[in-house]
């Protein structure tokens, strides 16, 4: 699907069981009218909600950040049908999702460590 700048791609509390991938342009993650993250070409989102079969992001929305942003969506129903015909794909697919989640956790960890180091450095500068 093609979106224009600021058009909502995914609303909070959406109950659609699907995965999304940015294929052109970029998107922003918006929480309480503040941009808290960016998604660029190749980024996949909705993974945790897909795996847990839970509503999307609580109070966050995904919005197109440029005109002509393209996002592909694959609904869980179609994956279920595919896996019933090709069960060998299921393990590889969920391995891919696990890797996506692992990468996100690693990014969050590194961001948190950078913030903690900043606090320590600022404290040391104040003390000297």
């Amino acid at each position: 699907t093609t979106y224009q700048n600021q058009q909502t791609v995914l609303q909070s509390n959406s109950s659609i069981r699907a995965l999304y991938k940015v294929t052109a342009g970029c998107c922003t993650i918006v929480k309480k009218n503040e941009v808290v993250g960016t998604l660029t070409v190749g980024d996949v989102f909705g993974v945790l909600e897909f795996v847990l079969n839970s509503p999307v992001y609580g109070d966050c929305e995904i919005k197109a950040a440029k005109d002509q942003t393209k996002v592909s969506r694959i609904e869980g129903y179609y994956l279920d049908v595919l896996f019933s015909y090709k069960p060998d794909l299921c393990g590889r697919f969920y391995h891919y999702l696990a890797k996506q989640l692992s990468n996100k956790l690693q990014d969050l960890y590194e961001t948190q460590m950078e913030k903690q180091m900043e606090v320590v450095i600022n404290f040391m500068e104040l003390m000297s």
Side-chain angles (χ1 to χ4, degrees), residues 16-29:
I16 298 170
R17 185 174 166 249
L19 293 169
Y20 303 82
K21 183 175 185 176
V22 180
T23 56
C26 61
C27 296
T28 54
I29 304 167

Side-chain angles (χ1 to χ4, degrees), residues 27-86:
C27 296
T28 54
I29 304 167
V30 180
K31 184 174 185 174
K32 297 180 183 174
N33 295 321
E34 183 179 327
V35 174
V36 296
T38 304
L39 300 163
T40 58
V41 173
D43 285 342
V44 176
F45 59 97
V47 176
L48 187 59
E49 293 78 10
F50 178 85
V51 170
L52 298 177
N53 198 20
S54 67
V56 173
Y57 297 109
D59 60 351
C60 288
E61 289 183 311
I62 307 296
K63 293 187 175 230
K66 292 181 179 179
D67 285 338
Q68 300 302 309
T69 294
K70 293 184 180 184
V71 177
S72 297
R73 178 176 87 180
I74 184 163
E75 294 185 29
Y77 168 79
Y78 296 108
L79 289 169
D80 294 340
V81 171
L82 175 65
F83 296 152
S84 71
Y85 286 103
K86 298 277 189 181

